[in-house]
Amino acid sequence: MNIKDTIPLRGVWNKTPATKWEEAYLAGNGSQGVMVYGDPIHETIIGNHCRLYLPQGNSQQLPEMGNHLPEVRELIRTKGYPEALKFYYEKAVQSGYEGLTMSDPYHPAFHLHIDMPLTNYHSYYKSMDYQTGEIAVNFKEGTTDYQSKTFVSRTDDVIVYQLEANKGTIDCNLSLANYDNQGLNSTKHVSEEGITSHYQYVNGTGGYDVAIRLIAPDAICERKLDKVHIRNTTKLLLIMKIVPYKNEEDRNTDSLTSMKVFDKAYPELFQAHTLLHQEMFDRVALNLTTDTERKRNIESLLEEAKEKSVLPLALIEKMYDAGRYMYISSAGELTPNLQGIWTGTFHPAWSGDFTFDTNVQLSIAAALSSNLSEGLSGYFRLLKELLPGFRENAQKYYGCRGIMSSAHSSNTGKHIHWNEEWPLQFWTCGAGWLGHWFYQYYSFTGDKDFLATEAVPYLEEVALFYEDFLIKDPDGTYRFTPSYSAENGCADNATQDIAVAKEVLKHLIESYHVLQIDSPKIDQWQEIRDNLPDYQINADGALKEWSTAESEENYNHRHFSHLYPVFQSREFTEESEPDLWQASKVAFDKRLEAWLKSDDGDTTSTHGRMHAALCATQFHMPELVYDIFTMLTKYNCFYPSLMMSHYNNQEVFNVDGNGAFPQVIHEMLIDYHNQTLSLLGALPTQIDHGKIRGVRLANQVEVTHLEWELATGELRVHLLASGSDQKMAVKLPLYPNARVTAFTGCKIEEKTGQISLNLHASERAEIVFQLNNE
């Protein structure tokens, strides 16, 4: 069979096995994950589970600091933040704080090795199909064709691996690696039927079990020490499952030994899984190129991008697909952590945890617009599990009711990751930022039950914290003190603190109105919102990162926290607040000059580039969007699977950039907020034609089809308002002279260069534009 007939159109393939776990091909079902090296001689399969965080035995004791808050504030006022930080840290240590502590690290469940006595294999290639979630490895030795296939079943919740030999038989040894880790005790049982292993955490309760069932018709299977030797078969099927437990008495070994899937063949298992996975993947589709280009191997696409500094359209399409594949594979029981659902090490960077000062938010950025709202159930579940720690943070650190999120979490929501150098205990807007997706979920889905039972209770707890934490200046303005702009320094009234509080209170008030709740809390929240500090503009004309006169700017930084009103909450626009919009643009340009485009930038960062791209879509900067895309290839930020690295040169496997990339694509093509629909608002000319379908917008608007052709200047948009009638302004920022040439199923008004659109609920509308830009 020709290689071109077997490689996926929506996916990647290459010609070399992985040499480390970061290079492996990946699959997942939202709870379990798998990584496949694809090595014919010494295959390695790594199993992952979203619940596996290794307890380190830390006390998790939070210091009692609420009674010191008046002193801290007085020190900030009279002597400044360095003295206040020193005092705060000393008092915290005296109260039992152990100093900056990493969260319990994410770790692999097992490393399975399949060793084959091959000496001269050839015709090797491996593929990873985003559309089906299947990993395939193909190679030959002599006259024998070998193929392995792997996926993680969404229907049966097992990892499935099959190895087949054509014109020959399989001869291999199967073994499970022994983990040499002091925090983990294990017992293993090896038999001709497979391998089971029981793991128990040493420094905390719980652990997990692994079962690997071996099914090989007519095979001769022999146990040899801790290995199973398999020969004389043409087909080997492995069914693998990881089952975490919180306590020994809660272990459920029945799910390991009585799985009905043992009676099913690979095709039956795969077909059932594919029906679910592919339906999710196919809800949205970006089409930029031909099938011939889609079948190019990933090495050639990345090499072309580096050599020519021009991205093949097939590569952009695959980068987009990879982001959605990451989310489909990682979101479910929980939400993607720094590494999605995958790891091959017990020592991942930043513990591979849930990092809340930008990374988690980027990893879920495209969930709603990609029509994958069910993936957010794991996000909401995670936050609900962390709430006890969030409440304790608010009470212990500030004596406040409500919630304050940690910056890093895995097994607990307690905030223990801070010190004088990294004063993240002064970063109080995290819970509110996380609350953004509660209200957005309602906006995209129209689910009032969720609004009432999940969104409002969460946002009310955020507001409770503000009610207790904020203090009033003599002029009646509320003050955030202490305050911290993520990883870039301390000063009162961090701009993101103000912006997040405004958004939280706005959404709470709107929710009460939607749910027809009559309460004096509405007036209280409105009073707080009305008296929050004004944003400030400095002598450079830039929006300040801290809204206090004495604070200075550090433009050389990878975080874009102060631009929250632009990239996240969409608080103001060029039309509603032209001065603030222009100041935000100046602040953004300063950041670009000092960090993104500077060789002297403080550090490389994929998440910083993604936030810059999200800002660029709002400021209608298509050239910058494209430059950021090319940076990812130029600086070698992709692994063979197209998962991204945090730093340049494939340093630190992180998926937050993958989660954000589809959102950048969506916003550059079609974006909707503040009753305004923006079309092709940041489309680079290099992406001169294409189609996209299935994108979701706020207020339950669906983009059933969008197609553009810059050579002819034609844009076609098909919309469906599934909730209620919608009236919106229409902007084409890059094409101010665009005009409507045809429309059906809607009402269009054009007056002095302004276009307004009326959509009727449940009626499909089609609008055709001519992109005159003369």
Side-chain angles (χ1 to χ4, degrees):
M1 183 179 292
N2 190 304
I3 184 175
K4 296 293 186 180
D5 296 327
T6 61
I7 60 176
L9 293 174
R10 298 288 178 169
V12 291
W13 71 280
N14 66 1
K15 300 177 182 180
T16 55
T19 59
K20 56 185 179 180
W21 69 265
E22 294 94 336
E23 295 175 348
Y25 276 180
L26 321 162
N29 68 356
S31 292
Q32 296 187 90
V34 71
M35 313 181 76
V36 178
Y37 278 47
D39 188 334
I41 298 174
H42 185 66
E43 178 63 288
T44 299
I45 299 172
I46 303 174
N48 297 122
H49 195 287
C50 67
R51 291 286 183 181
L52 300 189
Y53 293 88
L54 187 69
Q56 299 297 288
N58 302 313
S59 72
Q60 309 288 352
Q61 179 180 346
L62 299 185
E64 296 278 0
M65 296 299 296
N67 59 327
H68 295 296
L69 184 57
E71 296 169 86
V72 171
R73 285 173 166 164
E74 182 63 16
L75 282 172
I76 290 172
R77 189 183 68 83
T78 58
K79 296 185 177 181
Y81 270 89
E83 286 295 321
L85 283 167
K86 181 180 179 182
F87 171 84
Y88 195 97
Y89 189 72
E90 288 175 351
K91 292 298 182 183
V93 172
Q94 292 171 14
S95 183
Y97 182 57
E98 295 181 337
L100 187 147
T101 304
M102 299 303 298
S103 54
D104 293 336
Y106 190 53
H107 70 88
F110 64 82
H111 280 61
L112 177 69
H113 298 304
I114 304 172
D115 296 311
M116 298 178 68
L118 304 179
T119 57
N120 189 27
Y121 70 86
H122 59 95
S123 303
Y124 177 93
Y125 66 99
K126 65 176 182 179
S127 62
M128 176 176 161
D129 192 333
Y130 298 144
Q131 197 168 28
T132 65
E134 184 179 54
I135 301 163
V137 181
N138 298 268
F139 56 93
K140 295 181 180 181
E141 189 185 54
T143 60
T144 303
D145 291 335
Y146 292 94
Q147 182 183 62
S148 73
K149 295 181 178 180
T150 311
F151 70 98
V152 187
S153 173
R154 300 194 75 89
T155 49
D156 296 294
D157 194 25
V158 290
I159 302 167
V160 185
Y161 169 90
Q162 179 174 276
L163 176 62
E164 287 188 279
N166 182 25
K167 297 181 181 179
T169 59
I170 294 169
D171 185 346
C172 68
N173 284 311
L174 199 71
S175 62
L176 198 62
N178 296 314
Y179 285 148
D180 182 18
N181 190 291
Q182 294 181 349
L184 199 62
N185 285 334
S186 65
T187 56
K188 181 168 55 178
H189 176 70
V190 180
S191 74
E192 292 79 4
E193 293 185 346
I195 304 172
T196 59
S197 194
H198 172 53
Y199 300 86
Q200 186 176 21
Y201 292 138
V202 174
N203 299 313
T205 60
Y208 64 100
D209 291 289
V210 171
I212 301 172
R213 180 69 177 270
L214 187 162
I215 303 167
D218 303 320
I220 298 173
C221 300
E222 299 174 287
R223 175 184 173 182
K224 293 186 176 182
L225 298 176
D226 63 345
K227 299 180 180 180
V228 182
H229 183 206
I230 304 160
R231 56 191 174 90
N232 195 42
T233 184
T234 60
K235 187 178 297 184
L236 168 64
L237 179 66
L238 301 178
I239 308 291
M240 298 168 269
K241 190 173 179 69
I242 306 157
V243 181
Y245 62 89
K246 292 184 179 180
N247 299 286
E248 281 287 335
E249 55 270 24
D250 295 331
R251 286 180 65 203
N252 181 13
T253 55
D254 290 342
S255 65
L256 296 170
T257 58
S258 61
M259 291 187 287
K260 295 181 180 179
V261 295
F262 294 155
D263 301 325
K264 299 178 182 179
Y266 186 97
E268 183 181 0
L269 292 166
F270 182 62
Q271 183 180 16
H273 156 79
T274 304
L275 288 174
L276 296 181
H277 180 100
Q278 187 166 344
E279 186 279 327
M280 296 175 72
F281 185 87
D282 288 348
R283 291 176 193 172
V284 177
L286 175 68
N287 294 293
L288 301 177
T289 190
T290 65
D291 285 353
T292 299
E293 283 291 294
R294 291 186 181 104
K295 288 190 174 185
R296 291 176 59 186
N297 68 58
I298 196 60
E299 291 137 326
S300 72
L301 290 170
L302 289 171
E303 184 179 350
E304 179 182 331
K306 291 176 186 177
E307 288 182 352
K308 298 183 179 180
S309 296
V310 175
L311 300 180
L313 292 178
L315 180 59
I316 296 175
E317 191 180 277
K318 290 182 184 298
M319 290 157 65
Y320 173 85
D321 287 345
R324 294 171 52 248
Y325 178 76
M326 180 284 295
Y327 189 74
I328 290 169
S329 302
S330 302
E333 184 171 346
L334 297 176
T335 202
N337 63 27
L338 284 172
Q339 297 175 186
I341 201 171
W342 305 286
T343 189
T345 176
F346 279 80
H347 305 285
W350 304 290
S351 295
D353 66 13
F354 301 102
T355 302
F356 292 132
D357 65 354
T358 197
N359 308 82
V360 165
Q361 291 89 334
L362 282 171
S363 71
I364 64 175
L368 290 167
S369 61
S370 292
N371 195 11
L372 295 170
S373 59
E374 69 267 48
L376 286 175
S377 63
Y379 172 79
F380 301 133
R381 182 181 297 111
L382 170 68
L383 293 185
K384 187 171 288 187
E385 292 177 6
L386 297 178
L387 278 180
F390 286 7
R391 294 185 184 111
E392 189 174 349
N393 297 335
Q395 194 278 320
K396 291 287 182 68
Y397 285 118
Y398 295 112
C400 294
R401 299 169 297 164
I403 57 176
M404 179 184 123
S405 83
S406 55
H408 291 265
S409 278
S410 57
N411 284 324
T412 176
K414 293 184 180 182
H415 191 3
I416 54 174
H417 187 97
W418 64 271
N419 58 15
E420 286 185 80
E421 181 182 2
W422 299 103
L424 285 155
Q425 83 281 13
F426 286 178
W427 184 71
T428 59
C429 68
W433 190 359
L434 296 172
H436 171 84
W437 280 270
F438 282 81
Y439 190 82
Q440 287 302 303
Y441 182 89
Y442 158 71
S443 178
F444 275 73
T445 66
D447 188 342
K448 289 186 180 181
D449 288 339
F450 175 86
L451 184 68
T453 60
E454 300 292 339
V456 165
Y458 180 90
L459 294 174
E460 284 175 335
E461 291 211 60
V462 179
L464 268 180
F465 178 82
Y466 289 137
E467 291 171 21
D468 291 353
F469 176 77
L470 290 168
I471 60 173
K472 270 194 174 182
D473 285 340
D475 66 356
T477 302
Y478 286 101
R479 178 175 288 266
F480 294 86
T481 182
S483 185
Y484 178 65
S485 193
E487 303 184 23
N488 198 21
C490 293
D492 283 0
N493 295 335
T495 296
Q496 189 181 25
D497 279 344
I498 301 167
V500 170
K502 283 186 173 183
E503 183 186 36
V504 167
L505 298 173
K506 177 177 182 285
H507 286 166
L508 259 180
I509 293 168
E510 289 176 351
S511 298
Y512 268 46
H513 289 317
V514 169
L515 298 171
Q516 298 181 332
I517 300 173
D518 187 13
S519 169
K521 299 292 289 185
I522 294 175
D523 291 336
Q524 181 182 3
W525 294 328
Q526 190 63 56
E527 187 275 334
I528 295 174
R529 193 172 190 277
D530 289 343
N531 290 288
L532 290 173
D534 292 331
Y535 300 126
Q536 293 189 9
I537 300 172
N538 67 13
D540 294 328
L543 180 73
K544 296 190 64 174
E545 192 159 355
W546 298 269
S547 289
T548 47
E550 63 274 14
S551 62
E552 296 182 358
E553 299 300 298
N554 175 26
Y555 296 125
N556 181 7
H557 202 266
R558 66 191 179 276
H559 281 257
F560 289 76
S561 303
H562 57 316
L563 296 179
Y564 188 91
V566 174
F567 71 78
Q568 197 74 86
S569 64
R570 316 292 181 84
E571 179 186 337
F572 49 77
T573 66
E574 186 174 11
E575 292 76 20
S576 68
E577 295 282 354
D579 291 341
L580 284 177
W581 186 262
Q582 179 58 29
S584 299
K585 177 63 167 56
V586 173
F588 184 56
D589 288 340
K590 293 287 185 181
R591 207 63 135 219
L592 299 181
E593 179 184 358
W595 179 73
L596 183 71
K597 297 183 177 182
S598 172
D599 293 335
D600 298 322
D602 65 334
T603 181
T604 63
S605 162
T606 293
H607 73 68
R609 289 169 179 152
M610 287 296 100
H611 265 136
L614 289 169
C615 289
T617 65
Q618 300 307 299
F619 290 127
H620 312 307
M621 301 169 69
E623 296 85 359
L624 178 59
V625 170
Y626 195 80
D627 286 347
I628 292 170
F629 289 176
T630 58
M631 285 178 186
L632 298 173
T633 56
K634 176 182 178 181
Y635 296 116
N636 200 24
C637 296
F638 286 107
Y639 296 102
S641 63
L642 283 187
M643 296 302 108
M644 295 191 196
S645 61
H646 180 88
Y647 297 116
N648 292 349
N649 300 315
Q650 294 186 351
E651 184 182 352
V652 182
F653 182 102
N654 273 182
V655 302
D656 42 28
N658 295 103
F661 192 91
Q663 185 66 14
V664 175
I665 294 289
H666 295 165
E667 291 182 12
M668 80 180 195
L669 293 175
I670 186 162
D671 194 22
Y672 177 51
H673 61 87
N674 292 286
Q675 290 77 52
T676 300
L677 184 71
S678 178
L679 298 172
L680 308 188
L683 176 67
T685 55
Q686 294 90 338
I687 310 176
D688 58 358
H689 67 278
K691 303 175 185 177
I692 196 168
R693 61 168 175 80
V695 174
R696 297 301 176 102
L697 305 174
N699 294 352
Q700 303 165 71
V701 175
E702 179 184 356
V703 185
T704 57
H705 182 81
L706 184 147
E707 182 174 358
W708 69 97
E709 179 64 67
L710 298 188
T712 62
E714 186 170 273
L715 167 66
R716 290 180 176 270
V717 185
H718 295 210
L719 300 172
L720 173 64
S722 58
S724 59
D725 292 354
Q726 299 289 326
K727 183 176 182 179
M728 60 188 73
V730 180
K731 288 175 54 179
L732 289 90
L734 304 182
Y735 303 94
N737 298 317
R739 58 187 177 85
V740 176
T741 58
F743 61 92
T744 59
C746 61
K747 183 179 179 182
I748 295 284
E749 296 180 7
E750 292 185 86
K751 295 180 181 178
T752 61
Q754 295 182 334
I755 304 172
S756 64
L757 167 64
N758 288 298
L759 295 176
H760 302 298
S762 302
E763 187 172 352
R764 296 183 182 275
E766 178 182 1
I767 311 104
V768 181
F769 297 86
Q770 183 62 41
L771 304 176
N772 297 322
N773 202 21
E774 300 172 356

